[in-house]
Amino acid sequence: MDRSAHSLGGEAIATSSPAGTVELDDPAHSEVEERVSVATQWQLMWWRFRRHRLAVTSTAVVGLAYAVVLLAEFLAYASPTASEAQRSLLPPQTIRWFNEGRFAPHVYGLSGRRDPQTFRRVYTPDPDKKIPLRFFAPGFEYHLFGLIPASRHLLGVADGRAEESLFLLGTDEQGRDVWSRLMYATRTSLTIGLAGVALSLVLGVLLGGISGYVGGVTDTVIQRVVEILRSIPTIPLWMGLAAALPQHWSVLQVYLAITVIISLVGWTELARVVRGRFLSLREEEFVTAAELAGCSRTRIIVSHLVPSFLSHIIAATTLAIPAMIISETSLSFLGLGLRPPAISWGVLLQQAQNIQSLAISPWLLIPAVPVIVVIIAFNFMGDGLRDAADPYHMGGLERAPQAPQPSDTPVQSPGAPLVGDAAMGGLERAPQALRRSETPRRSQGTPWSHDADMGGFERAARTDQSAAPVLSVRDLRTYFFAEDGVVKAVDGASFDVHAGRTLGIVGESGCGKSVTARSILRIVERPGRIVSGEIRLRRVGDGGEDDLARLDPQSHDMRRIRGGEIGLVFQEPMSSFSPVHSVGNQIVETMRLHLGLDRPTARARAIDLLRLVGIPRPERRIDEYAFQLSGGLRQRAMIATALCCGPRILIADEPTTALDVTTQAQILALLRELQARERMAIVLITHNLGVVAEMCDEVAIMYLGRVVERGPVDAIFHSPQHPYTRALLRSIPSVHARVRTKLPAITGSLPHPYRRPGGCLFHPRCGEAIRGVCERHEPELQSVATADRTVSCFLHHPVTKP
Amino acid sequence: MTGTTGAPLLEVHDLRKEFPIRQGLLRRRVGEVRAVDGVSFHIDRGETLSLVGESGCGKTTTARCILRAITPTAGRIIFRGGDGVAVDVAALPYKHVRPLRREMQMVFQDPYSSLNPRKTLLEIVGEPLLVNRVGTRTQRLERVAELLRLVGLRPEYMRRFPHAFSGGQRQRIGIARALALSPSLVVADEPVSALDVSVQAQILNLLVDLQAELGLTYLFVAHDLSVVKHVSDRVAVMYVGRIVELAPTERLFMQPAHPYTEALLAAVPKPDPRLRGRRLVLEGEVADPANPPAGCAFHPRCPYAVERCRSEAPRLEAFAAGHLVSCHRARELGLRGIGRPS
Ligand SMILES: Nc1ncnc2c1ncn2[C@@H]1O[C@H](COP(=O)(O)OP(=O)(O)OP(=O)(O)O)[C@@H](O)[C@H]1O
Ligand code: SF4
Ligand code: SF4
Ligand SMILES: [Mg+2]
């Protein structure tokens, strides 16, 4: 490595360019990537928000609603206060668009008379009295935006006296036009929400920010106040405060008072959001880095903290507005909020309180429609914003944001058949074609292998020593179909798992190890699915095979295999346990479900099991929760859960990666001991080659979703054949190395999942690539030397496919 | 490589840091975690000292105390910067810490959380220059370009945001930021443990190259002994807030004198199936620093513990030249280390 050799010492800023060649790490170029690379937070947020269709539509609806706020007078055609007893409770008119084949919108005039029996006015349309409609018609005078004097209205009648002849949504008891009043009401109701939220925002951000940044006693006091405020039932609080408003206050005063009352309660939620973000941000390393760089407190707050939660505040605010609107509407509806002559949705709906008038004049309920529409739209918009608020979450754009999933994910019982379901999200849905193309050969009822009284641990004798593998995976392909591309997470994985032996699956992050494990158990999350390949599991009785790739992931058989026949241990034991069930309970429930044991028996067996995995005082620990256990004990408990049904195969996905070396050694020793006892087959997924050397009998090396080399562990370590395996082995630091020696690193980095190289996947980084061959053709996994060694590389076999 | 010209760059004497444990509504102090409990060591100019130990043993707290990212409870941290004047970092009032930060920088463990996703590379790497008012705008721009080139990134990427980079590349950005002010001491807290195997080697090599090129001094915090062997001149092993052994790297690996070091070395998985079964399994768990065992903190797990270990705490004493051990039985045990591969 020939780096530029000039010194950086001293304070002066060196301006010379380096002399030597510099090894540059190049994330490949493409236009899209270039665009994404320099995209700011707001751009990323917008791209992400845009994908949320419902949110975008809702935003348009909200936008329209606020257009009404601005243009209420223009959209109304009658003065909202113009009342006339002669027109009381008119029904809505129908607009007729054509007159004798020509486009000429008009309504029929109405003639009213009093019903002698009910004393109500009844109206009949008069088809002969056509009242033509006009757009931009003259009408009552107003000031547009409160400034520009105007008298035109969107809709009106030719003679300019729309009050007397146009009633699109009917009239109320006092004969006032509902449509026009609705326009005015929208203005009040939607602005009261905004004003309330603005006030809450100030209070919430200020108090939440202080609480989060200052901490200590201040934080404690503010938090207690928030808790007290939140624990008061809101409706009585509002009612009490609103009832205290003096009757003689003007409309404006009442309006302001209501805003204040509503926001007094509303700020607490925002304060919590702000404080939470502040606290979590303070823990972020980049804040420490800024401090170490010499940034002042103010700079850290203004330049690092505030931009980081601004987007969250916007989202939280959007979600707070509908709550404010609802509050005002309900208060006014109850007669406690705004009172006539003010006009708001709540005031309008008050007229619909009376069942009798509602029965006769159902149109009085029309103002409920905009309330519902606007509230829903605000909520969807807020949801979209919230999802987009942190565009860097989940690897940013790499993993496509998930739209809210319809509720077809199966409901799992607490001690679900699969260890750690809680963390896994939805189960995979097999493509329709695959799912039913072949009915499982066994009938549903046949017990898979579990006779309950045999329990888990006397199984050993049953698995025969025969060479046939218990599990064979052939050319498995699992893809994720994201909106902006297909991630071929697993793209040709083949390996065998034998009883009593350990297979290691090795590879770098993102090479598809975990997705392979999930595919075997059929728990791949959407939008992923198995597109082809076989996962053949040998049956215990007759030695036949079932192809798990063709089973319905939610079928009875699959659920029985998952957790029963095949156990799974995850890397992060904390997220795999439910926080609301004790560890023991989860084991007990699993055993009851799979083995049909009664509770006392299951409990006794769970205690045995916890003792077996080396948990001290299992009688007490069984009732503890996962968070009460240390990392090592948690991993042991997780192994106990995976083992509780006596699986034939244990899949351990990075079981020791989060642990210290000494604890790691303990867990690996435990796995070996259990395997010797139960003759279990273990699939050990890891990127730690030391662990592989220690534990495995066979090894499969994966690169970009494909198994590139497979063989017995000794052969893999002592005569690796694939250039990637060789490079990987060379690059790992070793305790046997000489002190302070450099490592021969693999050059370059893993390609982006959407840009897999053509030809041999490894060729851009391969030191032995054959020019003209490796970048054009795909090598296949073929045996070299002995049958149990397979390699996919043109150094070892000729080009077969064109 | 160990440039022992004159006084050491950094001397740490009896460093202590206690975190209070608070409980209840009034958050009354009910006890404390002694995260760092009397740690002493020094680092010479141009050398790499590694701190190793299991999670929770106080490695990171020690490192952060030295940088004054947190304020130690007691002890002295003598730092001799570019001007050769000794300063006690631990006793410095907060407002005088800032100028000192130009001389000490940090590389973080998590390449994701350590870069503000809302800032471009230029802003991230240039921030230390900007807030310390170094150079003009164009000079800063050139300096950032140079730093990026130095860590193996294209200067054209300056306007990009961190989300466009992989973990290894992000770690390079973090290193460039740490080097911006030309510090003499770089504290690297687990700089490769969050990285992939193949990237790990690239970053380790980069750190070693930069040290040679810029004459940096490293305090390297790690839990992985194989990584440590590739970068350190000397290694300090920590257990529950204390250093139990400190020795030159080769010596520590070949002839450990503390039973805990022996156990750690034995526990490292060796990437060779032919060496299987030699792994010694240490029973039990790391002691709770809020409530450490009396006597030698390691005694509940130590296979060599005797009666004396239960009551009397051993002191860190010279075992051989440059080799310190804290164990009553260090001289009689003759522990097994790791040799060269056979
Ligand atoms: N839910 C998902 N949606 C989209 N892509 C996904 C999803 N889950 C995994 N992937 C992609 O599939 C590929 C393989 O991921 P996988 O988790 O199997 O890797 P791995 O080998 O287990 O890595 P690690 O060592 O980091 O655990 C990656 O490119 C990943 O981004
Ligand atoms: S096929 Fe060619 S590029 Fe691929 S690993 Fe073999 S030699 Fe390298
Ligand atoms: S002092 Fe005793 S318990 Fe501690 S390490 Fe030495 S022998 Fe073991
Ligand atoms: Mg994984």
Side-chain angles (χ1 to χ4, degrees):
Chain A
M1 205 174 302
D2 183 10
R3 276 175 201 290
S4 58
H6 63 280
S7 161
L8 289 168
E11 301 254 330
I13 293 207
T15 49
S16 62
S17 66
T21 47
V22 178
E23 181 205 357
L24 293 175
D25 214 346
D26 180 16
H29 282 275
S30 81
E31 210 167 298
V32 176
E33 193 163 332
E34 187 60 49
R35 207 165 55 106
V36 171
S37 301
V38 296
T40 61
Q41 160 181 214
W42 303 108
Q43 271 169 317
L44 289 175
M45 247 181 101
W46 165 236
W47 289 340
R48 197 152 164 178
F49 182 75
R50 212 170 44 183
R51 292 196 215 158
H52 201 317
R53 301 259 158 69
L54 206 53
V56 175
T57 320
S58 301
T59 310
V61 172
V62 170
L64 280 180
Y66 276 95
V68 173
V69 170
L70 288 179
L71 302 172
E73 298 94 342
F74 173 68
L75 294 171
Y77 46 81
S79 162
T81 44
S83 65
E84 170 59 72
Q86 291 294 309
R87 299 194 296 263
S88 134
L89 291 177
L90 268 166
Q93 287 168 322
T94 332
I95 298 184
R96 288 158 213 276
W97 296 102
F98 293 96
N99 187 19
E100 287 154 10
R102 278 187 308 116
F103 179 72
H106 62 275
V107 291
Y108 292 152
L110 295 167
S111 55
R113 62 182 175 85
R114 200 167 283 282
D115 185 311
Q117 256 128 46
T118 60
F119 294 105
R120 284 195 157 271
R121 287 185 70 87
V122 269
Y123 301 91
T124 38
D126 181 356
D128 296 331
K129 219 169 108 193
K130 294 193 176 103
I131 304 168
L133 296 181
R134 266 187 59 185
F135 289 105
F136 303 106
F140 68 93
E141 305 207 332
Y142 62 95
H143 284 82
L144 190 62
F145 309 132
L147 296 171
I148 311 159
S151 62
R152 297 274 158 184
H153 298 266
L154 177 65
L155 207 61
V157 290
D159 64 0
R161 300 213 329 235
E163 284 91 347
E164 288 163 24
S165 42
L166 194 56
F167 315 100
L168 289 182
L169 297 180
T171 61
D172 63 8
E173 217 138 352
Q174 283 91 45
R176 298 172 298 198
D177 182 60
V178 172
W179 165 269
S180 301
R181 284 174 69 76
L182 192 56
M183 294 300 114
Y184 279 85
T186 304
R187 167 178 288 172
T188 317
S189 291
L190 287 184
T191 43
I192 216 170
L194 279 190
V197 165
L199 204 60
S200 298
L201 193 67
V202 173
L203 281 173
V205 171
L206 218 61
L207 291 170
I210 290 173
S211 191
Y213 194 76
V214 177
V217 182
T218 322
D219 182 31
T220 314
V221 170
I222 295 179
Q223 285 316 299
R224 290 298 106 73
V225 171
V226 167
E227 273 158 35
I228 291 168
L229 276 179
R230 291 178 71 88
S231 64
I232 300 173
T234 35
I235 302 258
L237 177 72
W238 290 336
M239 288 175 71
L241 286 173
L245 296 183
Q247 286 287 332
H248 58 81
W249 275 16
S250 70
V251 173
L252 191 70
Q253 278 171 318
V254 174
Y255 179 95
L256 286 175
I258 291 288
T259 319
V260 172
I261 291 171
I262 292 175
S263 52
L264 272 183
V265 186
W267 69 271
T268 54
E269 180 58 40
L270 272 162
R272 287 204 334 182
V273 172
V274 172
R275 173 178 177 268
R277 285 297 299 168
F278 237 118
L279 285 183
S280 68
L281 278 171
R282 270 208 325 199
E283 299 299 309
E284 295 265 5
E285 286 184 340
F286 71 77
V287 176
T288 315
E291 205 181 322
L292 292 183
C295 293
S296 62
R297 283 245 161 92
T298 329
R299 186 181 163 89
I300 291 180
I301 295 181
V302 172
S303 164
H304 288 276
L305 295 180
V306 172
S308 305
F309 64 63
L310 207 56
S311 51
H312 290 263
I313 290 181
I314 293 174
T317 309
T318 316
L319 287 169
I321 295 176
M324 297 277 174
I325 295 174
I326 287 274
S327 312
E328 181 278 321
T329 307
S330 13
L331 278 183
S332 306
F333 177 77
L334 293 173
L336 295 163
L338 295 175
R339 287 186 291 262
I343 312 170
S344 78
W345 287 344
V347 173
L348 290 194
L349 283 171
Q350 221 183 340
Q351 297 225 340
Q353 251 177 1
N354 183 334
I355 290 287
Q356 248 171 352
S357 59
L358 201 58
I360 303 168
S361 356
W363 57 90
L364 290 180
L365 212 55
I366 287 176
V369 175
V371 179
I372 295 168
V373 170
V374 167
I375 299 291
I376 290 179
F378 258 118
N379 278 315
F380 281 138
M381 179 170 127
D383 282 346
L385 278 175
R386 193 183 46 205
D387 291 348
D390 197 350
Y392 310 106
H393 199 62
M394 296 236 336
L397 300 174
E398 214 135 291
R399 298 206 171 173
Q402 312 256 318
Q405 307 251 325
S407 58
D408 62 351
T409 32
V411 181
Q412 301 275 351
S413 53
L418 166 78
V419 182
D421 261 337
M424 315 229 15
L427 290 192
E428 176 196 22
R429 274 210 312 202
Q432 208 68 28
L434 272 181
R435 204 189 315 175
R436 283 292 157 226
S437 60
E438 188 190 322
T439 17
R441 277 159 284 172
R442 251 164 10 83
S443 69
Q444 290 264 329
T446 323
W448 198 259
S449 82
H450 286 285
D451 20 6
D453 44 352
M454 270 193 79
F457 296 102
E458 296 89 72
R459 166 183 302 287
R462 271 193 285 160
T463 31
D464 57 330
Q465 187 94 43
S466 71
V470 276
L471 182 77
S472 306
V473 173
R474 284 293 166 268
D475 206 27
L476 179 70
R477 284 165 210 271
T478 306
Y479 296 175
F480 287 88
F481 297 89
E483 277 169 57
D484 44 5
V486 177
V487 178
K488 299 183 176 178
V490 180
D491 193 31
S494 305
F495 50 82
D496 296 323
V497 185
H498 295 269
R501 295 172 74 79
T502 303
L503 168 79
I505 299 183
V506 193
E508 289 176 78
S509 189
C511 74
K513 306 182 295 287
S514 300
V515 175
T516 305
R518 283 163 176 258
S519 305
I520 294 173
L521 288 159
R522 303 302 308 277
I523 48 169
V524 178
E525 295 156 39
R526 279 198 292 170
R529 57 167 208 256
I530 298 177
V531 293
S532 69
E534 294 172 15
I535 303 166
R536 297 201 299 263
L537 179 71
R538 188 160 299 280
R539 279 197 294 272
V540 174
D542 57 3
E545 286 174 338
D546 292 298
D547 187 353
L548 305 189
R550 284 172 206 286
L551 286 183
D552 181 339
Q554 289 158 55
S555 66
H556 184 70
D557 284 346
M558 203 54 233
R559 307 191 80 152
R560 171 166 227 143
I561 291 170
R562 217 184 278 140
E565 301 256 312
I566 308 179
L568 181 60
V569 176
F570 283 116
Q571 172 172 356
E572 214 337 290
M574 189 61 216
S575 56
S576 313
F577 280 110
S578 152
V580 293
H581 293 276
S582 70
V583 167
N585 221 348
Q586 296 178 55
I587 301 180
V588 169
E589 286 309 316
T590 312
M591 283 203 270
R592 292 184 56 196
L593 201 93
H594 279 262
L595 306 178
L597 300 179
D598 58 39
R599 194 175 280 279
T601 324
R603 188 178 164 90
R605 195 166 279 176
I607 292 176
D608 286 345
L609 206 57
L610 292 177
R611 185 174 295 122
L612 183 82
V613 297
I615 292 182
R617 282 169 300 150
E619 310 77 18
R620 254 191 49 201
R621 295 283 189 186
I622 190 168
D623 294 318
E624 287 185 3
Y625 294 84
F627 64 84
Q628 293 171 301
L629 304 178
S630 72
L633 287 185
R634 226 181 274 144
Q635 196 57 281
R636 285 170 191 269
M638 172 107 213
I639 291 175
T641 318
L643 290 180
C644 69
C645 300
R648 289 189 288 154
I649 303 172
L650 181 73
I651 300 183
D653 188 358
E654 308 269 13
T656 60
T657 304
L659 305 175
D660 276 313
V661 268
T662 50
T663 322
Q664 179 186 62
Q666 293 172 355
I667 298 292
L668 294 182
L670 169 68
L671 282 178
R672 267 199 305 264
E673 190 189 312
L674 290 170
Q675 179 175 44
R677 225 169 124 162
E678 313 297 330
R679 284 197 42 71
M680 244 175 352
I682 297 183
V683 179
L684 186 68
I685 295 175
T686 178
H687 65 264
N688 187 329
L689 287 159
V691 170
V692 172
E694 190 105 337
M695 291 289 292
C696 301
D697 301 295
E698 282 96 31
V699 182
I701 310 272
M702 285 185 78
Y703 186 72
L704 296 185
R706 191 165 293 184
V707 171
V708 294
E709 177 161 12
R710 225 168 73 201
V713 68
D714 198 74
I716 293 285
F717 279 85
H718 288 281
S719 64
Q721 300 296 317
H722 196 282
Y724 177 64
T725 317
R726 284 188 225 152
L728 204 58
L729 282 167
R730 271 199 304 268
S731 72
I732 47 170
S734 159
V735 276
H736 294 295
R738 288 171 156 276
V739 172
R740 293 189 62 100
T741 42
K742 289 223 310 210
L743 289 158
I746 307 179
T747 49
S749 49
L750 289 172
H752 188 275
Y754 293 158
R755 272 198 323 274
R756 297 160 71 81
C760 170
L761 293 172
F762 189 55
H763 87 256
R765 303 172 76 188
C766 179
E768 295 164 63
I770 311 161
R771 194 170 286 180
V773 177
C774 296
E775 69 271 24
R776 292 213 196 121
H777 306 278
E778 269 185 48
E780 279 174 83
L781 202 58
Q782 298 187 357
S783 11
V784 290
T786 52
D788 55 0
R789 282 309 296 283
T790 46
V791 179
S792 116
C793 170
F794 292 127
L795 296 175
H796 301 281
H797 57 77
V799 177
T800 45
K801 271 196 279 188
Chain B
M1 155 104 30
T2 321
T4 36
T5 45
L9 179 71
L10 181 78
E11 283 174 68
V12 176
H13 296 287
D14 203 27
L15 185 70
R16 283 166 204 278
K17 176 68 192 177
E18 291 169 3
F19 293 107
I21 307 173
R22 295 184 191 275
Q23 254 170 24
L25 197 66
L26 298 172
R27 323 224 335 112
R28 197 172 283 129
R29 189 179 171 126
V30 293
E32 66 268 321
V33 181
R34 279 189 242 153
V36 180
D37 192 17
V39 160
S40 306
F41 59 84
H42 73 269
I43 311 179
D44 288 320
R45 278 172 209 281
E47 87 165 335
T48 304
L49 176 78
S50 289
L51 280 182
V52 298
E54 290 172 89
S55 66
C57 75
K59 308 180 292 275
T60 299
T61 312
T62 307
R64 295 199 171 209
C65 281
I66 291 171
L67 292 163
R68 270 299 287 277
I70 48 181
T71 308
T73 314
R76 286 186 301 143
I77 301 166
I78 311 294
F79 182 79
R80 288 184 187 81
D83 47 6
V85 181
V87 198
D88 184 354
V89 182
L92 225 50
Y94 190 80
K95 62 173 186 288
H96 294 308
V97 172
R98 239 174 103 176
L100 202 84
R101 295 243 163 92
R102 307 181 58 161
E103 305 243 12
M104 304 181 183
Q105 280 297 321
M106 178 153 180
V107 176
F108 294 84
Q109 169 171 11
D110 183 351
Y112 291 88
S113 124
S114 64
L115 304 181
N116 188 342
R118 289 159 184 84
K119 298 204 177 283
T120 61
L121 259 56
L122 176 62
E123 289 167 310
I124 290 170
V125 178
E127 181 159 55
L129 301 169
L130 181 71
V131 297
N132 286 289
R133 303 207 178 79
V134 178
T136 63
R137 242 185 97 83
T138 38
Q139 280 175 322
R140 284 200 292 267
L141 206 96
E142 275 157 22
R143 170 71 176 164
V144 170
E146 183 194 339
L147 285 163
L148 290 180
R149 231 176 277 129
L150 190 71
V151 298
L153 291 170
R154 287 176 192 270
E156 301 92 86
Y157 295 161
M158 213 185 266
R159 310 264 167 209
R160 295 191 173 190
F161 287 86
H163 64 249
F165 297 89
S166 69
Q169 291 166 333
R170 281 163 171 253
Q171 201 59 308
R172 287 173 195 264
I173 301 168
I175 293 173
R177 172 179 58 194
L179 296 179
L181 293 168
S182 312
S184 39
L185 177 70
V186 173
V187 175
D189 188 358
E190 304 267 13
V192 296
S193 60
L195 303 177
D196 244 310
V197 248
S198 70
V199 185
Q200 215 174 48
Q202 293 176 357
I203 297 298
L204 284 178
N205 288 346
L206 175 67
L207 286 171
V208 171
D209 286 342
L210 289 171
Q211 180 169 43
E213 213 170 297
L214 309 176
L216 299 171
T217 305
Y218 286 142
L219 175 63
F220 194 93
V221 177
H223 70 273
D224 186 341
L225 282 163
S226 28
V227 166
V228 162
K229 192 155 186 193
H230 281 273
V231 296
S232 352
D233 297 299
R234 291 185 302 137
V235 181
V237 180
M238 284 187 76
Y239 190 75
V240 201
R242 295 188 184 184
I243 292 183
V244 295
E245 182 163 12
L246 197 162
T249 313
E250 186 76 26
R251 193 175 163 96
L252 188 102
F253 279 76
M254 301 271 273
Q255 298 168 294
H258 196 281
Y260 179 61
T261 313
E262 182 190 44
L264 274 187
L265 286 172
V268 176
K270 322 283 181 303
D272 183 351
R274 291 180 191 166
L275 295 177
R276 233 182 236 192
R278 300 216 204 143
R279 204 167 169 186
L280 182 142
V281 176
L282 189 63
E283 297 297 328
E285 290 187 52
V286 186
D288 178 4
N291 188 17
C296 171
F298 189 54
H299 85 254
R301 304 170 81 189
C302 179
Y304 311 105
V306 290
E307 202 43 50
R308 185 179 171 205
C309 308
R310 273 177 257 284
S311 51
E312 189 187 329
R315 297 221 323 245
L316 190 66
E317 283 164 346
F319 175 72
H323 189 167
L324 304 173
V325 179
S326 145
C327 170
H328 296 310
R329 305 189 61 197
R331 293 198 185 279
E332 39 180 306
L333 287 175
L335 304 174
R336 213 167 77 178
I338 286 177
R340 296 272 164 69
S342 36

